[in-house]
Amino acid sequence: MSKALHRSLLRNPPHAVKGDGPYLIDETGKRYLDACGGAAVSCLGHSHPDVITAVQKQVAKLPYAHTSFFTTDVLEELADTLVEGAPGMGKVMLLSGGSESVEAALKLSRQYFLESGEPERHLFIARRQSYHGNTLGALAVGGNEWRRESFRPLLVEGHHIAPCFEYRERLETETQDEYCERVAVELETKIIDLGPQNVAGFVAETVVGATAGAVVATPGYFRRIREICDRYGIHLILDEVMCGTGRTGSMMAYQQEHIIPDIVTMAKGLAAGYQPAGALLCRSEIVDTIRNNSGFFQHGHTFMGHATAVAASLATLQAIKKEKLLENVVKRGKQIRAGLRDALGNHPNVGDIRGRGLFIGVEFVADRETKKPFDPALKTHNKVQQAAMDNGLLCYGMGGTIDGRRGDHVLIAPPYNLNESQQEEVVEKFSASATQSLPA
Ligand SMILES: Cc1ncc(COP(=O)(O)O)c(C=O)c1O
């Protein structure tokens, strides 16, 4: 038995030994088309020459310098590049992953209010069925009951409203606009309940990823949310750890919602998996306020701004730009969704095929008409994921789509540089695997 504490304590996973473009190769030589990049991480595949060279050069020159003593040229260039690609944002903090970035966002928001003369603002509101990370602060704001349950006594107070999940939650009697208004107004009601003077921020994934399966908000939802946040003076914190860095076809997912957040987090695709990386971006005014008061953001980690991670992130952003990959994300995303709809659109157990760009979700149901989910004990999402793996395709299955317990979906998040034949392979292998493992 391995000495490594793997995610499953019951079995050891196969050994991955090599990457080749969008393929991962295991120790038996079996090739898997990586159509989920782990969890939407490997956005350039597993052997991008420019990113590999950038990492190698940086390690040879200077692997790491602690950020309390130094900055680096590569860190400054990455900060400039990120700000340039994120409308409305003025400052960047470079971190090592998604949860770290969310923790930093919560603390930055809190410290801002402390120093801007509203010290009672400390509460955060998020949405049910959201995921913001596994560290205690991020878990406390996240809305996935299954992940929170065991650790509830350790969590700070977090408040939740409905997600914007039209396929599951729009009533038959409601128009799209009425639904959108109903769920957005839940934020206002919650703020009033908690006392607006106590609320610091509203945290939401711009496109919901792991827990609900690429759920895009109803048009106009985020504009309404922005208005409500502005009315009560609270921060809109968008978590783009999974959906950002070009995954939905724009560098920042919020660009397609026509709003500017106060703080936004990124990670996963930021360094494309060549290094662990995360980032927090915010409006300049937040940092200016702190600069003019304490002059110090009271937060930090040993590995933040790590030069090699930063070099990998910069090379990733440069590759996305140089190779015009955002256009490919939009094109291939449409093709994959269309291909899946052709192959599975009438399957009695496929309820919804959704997403934006190369962030695609397929939700499975026991009954298409009533949208009744499968019995959770069947672990339908696992069956599809396992069949796909057997067929040489990696996709990311998850249960609890509806309420943390019921519902099954699979996330497809292939690399941005996927070519036509690889795109066809994703559709063929996924459709075959779903058909094999679904009952009807
Ligand atoms: C939206 C979102 N936020 C935060 C996180 C946490 O990121 P990490 O696992 O890098 O800590 C994730 C991870 O899946 C995520 O999807």
Side-chain angles (χ1 to χ4, degrees):
M1 196 67 179
S2 163
K3 295 282 181 294
L5 204 167
H6 292 298
R7 286 180 182 241
S8 166
L9 303 182
L10 304 177
R11 61 178 184 89
N12 292 333
H15 288 226
V17 294
K18 192 171 161 46
D20 176 18
Y23 294 90
L24 274 173
I25 302 167
D26 74 14
E27 79 267 39
T28 68
K30 179 168 173 174
R31 290 167 73 82
Y32 305 84
L33 177 54
D34 187 359
C36 60
V41 172
S42 305
C43 63
L44 297 177
H46 299 281
S47 56
H48 197 286
D50 294 359
V51 189
I52 293 171
T53 304
V55 169
Q56 287 169 335
K57 276 193 178 161
Q58 189 62 46
V59 173
K61 190 174 161 195
L62 171 71
Y64 166 77
H66 197 286
T67 47
S68 61
F69 299 99
F70 293 105
T71 184
T72 53
D73 292 348
V74 76
L75 187 154
E76 298 299 328
E77 194 178 345
L78 176 62
D80 289 347
T81 308
L82 280 169
V83 163
E84 197 183 305
M89 300 298 103
K91 285 282 181 191
V92 181
M93 184 176 200
L94 294 161
L95 298 140
S96 306
S99 304
E100 256 190 27
S101 307
V102 171
E103 297 286 338
L106 302 178
K107 282 192 169 174
L108 184 68
S109 174
R110 164 68 186 149
Q111 194 178 330
Y112 167 85
F113 285 119
L114 209 52
E115 300 195 13
S116 64
E118 296 188 89
E120 48 302 300
R121 287 197 190 263
H122 67 290
L123 299 176
F124 290 94
I125 303 170
R127 301 185 295 180
R128 291 192 290 279
Q129 271 313 89
S130 59
Y131 180 56
H132 297 298
N134 260 334
T135 49
L136 294 176
L139 195 62
V141 291
N144 183 259
E145 277 314 310
W146 173 75
R147 286 177 165 85
R148 291 163 52 88
E149 212 173 302
S150 310
F151 304 102
R152 198 179 302 279
L154 309 184
L155 303 180
V156 296
E157 193 177 340
H159 298 274
H160 299 103
I161 61 167
C164 186
F165 191 178
E166 205 181 325
Y167 169 71
R168 276 286 162 201
E169 301 204 349
R170 172 153 76 94
L171 305 174
E172 273 175 20
T173 52
E174 267 174 337
T175 63
Q176 199 181 51
D177 286 349
E178 285 164 350
Y179 169 68
C180 177
E181 181 62 13
R182 172 165 67 84
V183 284
V185 162
E186 278 203 26
L187 176 60
E188 184 159 34
T189 309
K190 183 62 90 178
I191 294 171
I192 292 168
D193 276 0
L194 295 171
Q197 72 286 358
N198 297 318
V199 182
F202 175 61
V203 187
E205 292 161 84
T206 317
V207 178
V208 183
T211 44
V215 176
V216 177
T218 304
Y221 171 80
F222 274 110
R223 278 199 296 267
R224 192 72 179 91
I225 289 290
R226 181 69 269 185
E227 275 169 27
I228 295 170
C229 289
D230 287 344
R231 180 171 317 142
Y232 294 96
I234 76 171
H235 286 149
L236 174 56
I237 301 172
L238 291 182
D239 181 348
E240 300 205 353
V241 163
M242 208 178 216
C243 63
T245 328
R247 174 60 58 198
T248 64
S250 48
M251 183 48 65
M252 309 305 293
Y254 69 76
Q255 291 172 272
Q256 295 181 63
E257 300 299 338
H258 312 290
I259 48 148
I260 303 286
D262 298 292
I263 301 175
V264 59
T265 58
M266 304 167 79
K268 299 210 189 263
L270 179 57
Y274 291 80
Q275 288 286 296
L280 167 156
L281 286 80
C282 68
R283 288 191 302 107
S284 299
E285 187 257 332
I286 295 178
V287 173
D288 292 344
T289 300
I290 298 177
R291 182 189 303 109
N292 295 332
N293 286 275
S294 67
F296 176 64
F297 177 31
Q298 199 182 337
H299 185 63
H301 295 282
T302 302
F303 291 126
M304 62 190 266
H306 192 288
T308 311
V310 160
S313 306
L314 183 61
T316 299
L317 298 184
Q318 287 168 341
I320 292 173
K321 188 169 178 189
K322 185 171 134 201
E323 295 166 34
K324 299 192 171 36
L325 293 181
L326 296 182
E327 290 168 25
N328 203 50
V329 168
V330 174
K331 181 168 100 183
R332 298 283 174 227
K334 281 189 184 144
Q335 289 170 333
I336 292 180
R337 272 188 297 278
L340 292 176
R341 284 188 183 123
D342 281 348
L344 294 172
N346 293 321
H347 193 291
N349 300 129
V350 175
D352 195 25
I353 297 168
R354 56 183 174 240
R356 183 175 276 167
L358 282 175
F359 202 34
I360 298 164
V362 181
E363 184 170 338
F364 305 116
V365 286
D367 182 330
R368 254 171 91 87
E369 286 307 307
T370 62
K371 303 183 184 174
K372 183 177 168 230
F374 284 107
D375 176 353
L378 294 173
K379 296 200 180 303
T380 303
H381 58 282
N382 267 354
K383 287 186 183 147
V384 178
Q385 178 179 314
Q386 189 54 53
M389 199 163 171
D390 294 345
N391 292 330
L393 183 82
L394 301 175
C395 57
Y396 183 17
M398 185 64 68
T401 317
I402 303 170
D403 54 10
R405 204 183 69 80
R406 294 174 309 133
D408 297 271
H409 68 265
V410 165
L411 203 59
I412 299 174
Y416 304 170
N417 47 5
L418 203 72
N419 67 28
E420 186 157 2
S421 78
Q422 293 156 352
Q423 164 238 311
E424 285 166 2
E425 190 180 339
V426 172
V427 173
E428 276 165 30
K429 288 192 166 162
F430 183 80
S431 309
S433 310
T435 310
Q436 276 163 30
S437 33
L438 293 168

